[in-house]
Every structure is written in C-alpha cells, then in structure tokens.
C-alpha cells in the first residue's frame, strides 16, 4: 500500500508528504478520520504535531567525524517543527520508526529528563569538561522549546557548572535566555551561531516555514552582541542556484547587527532528504527545478549527495570553488574574525570544596 501523494503544500510545513521509512518493510494508508477534503475535493492529511517522550538514560552524544567542529553534543529534541525541506537531520527520524517527511516535523520526541541527566553526567568524578554543542542535529530552540523549556533548563545546569557550550539556532527564542547566556559568557563558556540562509522573507517562509523570519534572526544577533554574548552567523546551507547569490548581503547584514564570526556549509541531501527537497522544489519553484538540481550535482561530482568526509560539507568542483571564494572574500572584507575559544578551567561541581591558592 502506498502513502497518499498530493500536489499542494500545507501552511507551516516543509515536506510535501510522508515518505516510506527505509528501515520499514510495511507501509500504511492514512486513517480517513484524519483526512480533510479540500474545496476541490482532493483528500489531504492535515497532521497535528504530536510530542512523544524520550526514554534515553544519557543526554551527551558523541561523534568522531573529522569535519564536524565538535565531538560532544546535547539534543533536547528529536525531529524539528521548523520544517526546513533541506534539513540533513531528517533521516535520523527513520531510526525511530518514523518517516523523513512530514513525521519528522510532526512527531517530535522530547527529552524531558535532559537537565537531570546532564547534571548526573557532569557530577561524575571522572567527567572531564569539553565544549558541548546544542543543535548539532535538530534546533534546540524550535517552537516546542517555548512550552517545554528543556534547552533553558540544560543551560541553567551548564551555567551552574560553568561548563562551555556552543549553540546553533535559527530561532529568535534564543534571546529569551539572555540572562543565562550572559552568566556563561562571563566565564568564556558560551558562543551562539545564528543560521541565516536568506534575507528574503518570502523565500524564508517557504524554505523554513516555522523558523524565525530573517529580520528577527538579525535582531537576535544584535541583542546577543549587545549583551556581551559572542555571536556569529552561519550561512547554512548554501543552496546552489537558489540562495548562493545572497552570501554578500547576508554577511553584510550580520556584521552590521554585531556578528563577530561567520561560517557556511553547502547543501547536503542524504537519503530521504533528497526526495523531500526535490518535491519541495517541484511545488514551490518548478521553473527553477532543473537549474537548482543541476547546480547541486555540479558541487557533488554529478551526484545529489556525497558522504565522504572533507567534501560533504563544502562540495567540490568549479561551482563550489566559486562559492568558497565569494564567501571568503566578503568575510575578510567585512572583518569577521574567529570565535574566542571556549574555556574549561572555570568548570566546577556545585558543592565541591574550592581550595584557594596559597591557603
């Protein structure tokens, strides 16, 4: 049996439809009780977001990928309501028995015990502090955070331990936690990267339907910078043929707002992401479909995705080199520097006796 395919988008959703889970041999038809008929008589599902509780007993995950800038991270949520059609994290949802399509956006797994588990891990005598990344997979400030406040509770634990953390987000909600971020910044223990893919509000609404608008992200950069919290901008992902020409404008706007560093990645389309993204293009930019897909192949050696370390983040070939040069020229011209290295020497376990030097 096949899943229902339709040609119209849903407000606030990135994926056009659900896709078969590559780990599942069984598929299912949609329950008619959750299908609504359009005015034209076409039956379409109208999924609501469902939150499921995660039963994990650990919260810090580790990786050994040589082209990722961190080895340890915290992800308060699995799945992401932002609904970005290009999100490389979509395939992770298949390991949970869900699809990389709409279920990635509508079935959000919540780690309610994250702060408790984090405190337990940091309190272990053998634990050695290292910079943790938040949003290494899905955005820790996605809309669910407004209600569950798991990211904030984790930051409060990190501030109590004076433990360094690096945050990546595309949501203005990060400014809610300025008080805790300022506390961490006092010990050089935090940095925030705001992801800005475009300055075009209409394009952003299609590409990242439930994320903050570009103007709000720039406002977040400004507020963080003025509060003394180190903040950078990530032009990520750069989609060849769609938003690559905006690199100079995004960097200029971010610098004017107070960003001190800048980075980028080029679009990745692993596993089911390529299907979600191509269907999104067919729906929103049918006239640009061939050109964009051709440009993506041009930076991936003729393929839609290359998973090899060293090239998967940056691409390869003449087109990719042009993107690299454009980014680096404007980064240097605008005076972006490097983020200050986060420090671990202030780490403490609350309740421990702190001996003063010379006593």
């Amino acid at each position: 049996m096949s899943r229902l395919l339709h040609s119209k988008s849903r407000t606030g959703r990135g994926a056009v439809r659900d896709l078969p889970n590559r780990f599942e041999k069984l598929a299912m038809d949609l329950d008619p009780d959750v299908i609504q008929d359009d005015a034209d008589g076409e039956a379409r599902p109208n999924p609501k977001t469902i939150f499921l509780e995660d039963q994990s007993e650990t919260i810090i995950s580790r990786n050994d990928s040589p082209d990722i800038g961190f080895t340890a991270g915290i992800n308060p949520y699995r799945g992401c309501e932002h609904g970005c059609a290009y999100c490389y994290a979509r395939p992770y949802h298949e390991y949970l028995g869900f699809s990389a399509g709409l279920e990635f956006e509508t079935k959000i797994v919540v780690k309610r015990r994250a702060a408790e588990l984090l405190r337990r891990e940091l309190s272990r005598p053998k634990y050695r502090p290292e910079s943790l990344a938040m949003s290494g997979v899905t955005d820790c400030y996605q809309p669910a955070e407004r209600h569950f406040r798991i990211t904030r509770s984790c930051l409060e634990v990190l501030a109590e331990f004076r433990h360094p953390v690096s945050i990546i987000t595309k949501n203005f909600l990060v400014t809610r936690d300025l008080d805790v971020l300022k506390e961490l910044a006092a010990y050089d223990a935090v940095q925030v990267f705001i992801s800005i893919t475009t300055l075009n509000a209409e394009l952003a609404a299609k590409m990242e339907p439930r994320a903050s608008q570009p103007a709000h992200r720039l406002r977040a950069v400004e507020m963080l910078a003025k509060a003394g919290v180190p903040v950078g901008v990530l032009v990520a992902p750069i989609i060849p043929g769609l938003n690559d020409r905006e690199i100079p404008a995004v960097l200029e706007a971010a610098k004017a707002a107070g960003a001190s560093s800048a980075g980028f990645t080029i679009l990745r389309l692993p596993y089911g992401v390529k299907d979600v993204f191509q269907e999104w293009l067919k729906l929103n930019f049918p006239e640009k479909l061939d050109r964009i897909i051709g440009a993506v192949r041009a930076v991936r050696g003729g393929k839609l995705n290359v998973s090899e370390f060293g090239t998967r983040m940056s691409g390869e070939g003449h087109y990719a080199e042009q993107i690299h040069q454009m980014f680096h020229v404007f980064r240097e011209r605008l005076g972006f520097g490097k983020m200050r290295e986060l420090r671990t020497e202030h780490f403490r376990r609350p309740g421990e006796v702190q001996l003063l030097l010379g006593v």
Side-chain angles (χ1 to χ4, degrees):
M1 293 186 289
S2 61
R3 294 176 185 265
L4 181 66
L5 174 64
H6 60 85
S7 59
K8 295 184 179 180
S9 65
R10 300 176 190 79
T11 301
R13 298 300 179 192
V16 175
R17 63 183 174 110
D18 261 330
L19 300 171
N21 183 325
R22 58 197 163 99
F23 298 115
E24 295 288 343
K25 294 183 178 180
L26 297 177
M28 62 181 179
D29 283 333
L30 292 167
D31 186 335
D33 290 338
V34 297
I35 295 178
Q36 296 182 351
D37 289 337
D38 282 345
D40 59 7
E42 182 181 5
R44 297 167 56 207
N46 185 27
K48 303 297 183 182
T49 303
I50 298 173
F51 299 101
L52 306 167
E53 188 156 356
D54 187 281
Q55 300 297 326
S56 297
E57 288 298 318
T58 59
I59 189 60
I60 298 177
S61 59
R62 300 183 182 279
N63 75 85
D64 57 2
S65 301
D67 53 1
I68 295 180
F70 62 90
T71 57
I74 302 172
N75 292 287
Y77 306 96
R78 299 186 187 188
C80 187
E81 292 180 278
H82 280 160
C84 308
Y86 57 71
C87 183
Y88 66 83
R90 287 179 176 273
Y92 289 96
H93 233 45
E94 294 182 298
Y95 291 98
L96 303 178
F98 302 133
S99 84
L102 278 171
E103 287 186 324
F104 175 78
E105 307 169 31
T106 59
K107 288 184 170 59
I108 309 300
V109 182
V110 180
K111 300 180 181 180
R112 289 181 179 269
R113 299 177 58 215
E116 171 194 342
L117 295 172
L118 179 60
R119 179 182 297 279
R120 185 173 71 185
E121 180 70 18
L122 302 187
S123 296
R124 289 174 176 166
K126 292 185 178 181
Y127 178 80
R128 294 295 177 263
E130 61 182 316
S131 183
L132 297 174
M134 296 190 78
S135 295
V137 181
T138 56
D139 201 313
C140 61
Y141 279 105
Q142 62 177 282
E145 169 62 18
R146 191 175 299 279
H147 171 73
F148 291 106
R149 300 172 68 88
I150 298 172
T151 297
R152 180 178 175 87
S153 64
C154 287
L155 288 176
E156 289 172 341
V157 172
L158 292 170
E160 188 178 351
F161 282 75
R162 298 176 183 171
H163 192 291
V165 61
S166 178
I167 299 169
I168 302 172
T169 185
K170 58 186 66 173
N171 203 308
F172 181 78
L173 183 58
V174 65
T175 61
R176 178 201 63 189
D177 297 335
L178 274 174
D179 57 332
V180 186
L181 297 174
K182 288 168 63 176
E183 186 177 347
L184 283 161
Y187 297 98
D188 292 329
V190 69
Q191 57 187 7
V192 179
F193 293 94
I194 303 296
S195 176
I196 302 178
T197 50
T198 177
L199 298 180
N200 185 319
E202 183 177 351
L203 174 57
K206 292 179 178 179
M207 193 159 57
E208 304 151 338
R210 293 195 174 189
S212 297
Q213 285 290 295
H216 293 161
R217 298 185 214 183
L218 288 170
R219 176 60 176 155
V221 171
E222 182 180 5
M223 292 176 65
L224 288 161
K226 287 183 176 179
V229 178
V231 57
V233 62
L234 290 179
V235 189
I238 294 171
I239 302 175
L242 183 61
N243 67 342
D244 49 330
R245 293 185 179 183
E246 287 197 67
I247 292 173
V250 171
L251 290 177
E252 288 173 359
K255 184 64 176 180
S260 58
S261 67
F264 80 98
T265 61
I266 291 181
L267 176 72
R268 295 168 53 198
L269 296 174
Y271 302 110
V273 184
K274 64 180 181 297
D275 300 317
V276 173
F277 182 73
Q278 288 184 98
E279 290 187 347
W280 176 82
L281 280 178
K282 290 177 184 177
L283 182 67
N284 292 282
F285 300 101
E287 74 287 356
K288 297 181 180 180
L289 173 64
D290 292 338
R291 178 164 62 87
I292 293 174
I293 293 300
V296 172
R297 291 185 182 278
V299 301
R300 297 297 181 191
K303 303 177 183 179
L304 286 178
N305 188 64
V306 174
S307 58
E308 283 78 9
F309 296 137
T311 60
R312 62 175 185 159
M313 300 292 190
S314 57
E316 57 185 324
H318 181 65
Y319 198 156
E321 184 58 31
Q322 287 182 329
I323 292 174
H324 281 242
Q325 290 181 357
M326 181 190 302
F327 180 87
H328 289 295
V329 164
F330 279 89
R331 184 176 68 177
E332 295 301 315
R333 182 179 299 175
L334 292 167
F336 282 104
K338 293 184 178 180
M339 276 287 196
R340 183 185 304 175
E341 188 173 347
L342 299 183
R343 300 169 66 180
T344 60
E345 63 262 35
H346 298 295
F347 175 78
R348 63 175 184 177
R349 293 179 179 84
E352 283 186 340
V353 176
Q354 300 292 319
L355 297 178
L356 298 177
L357 292 177
V359 176

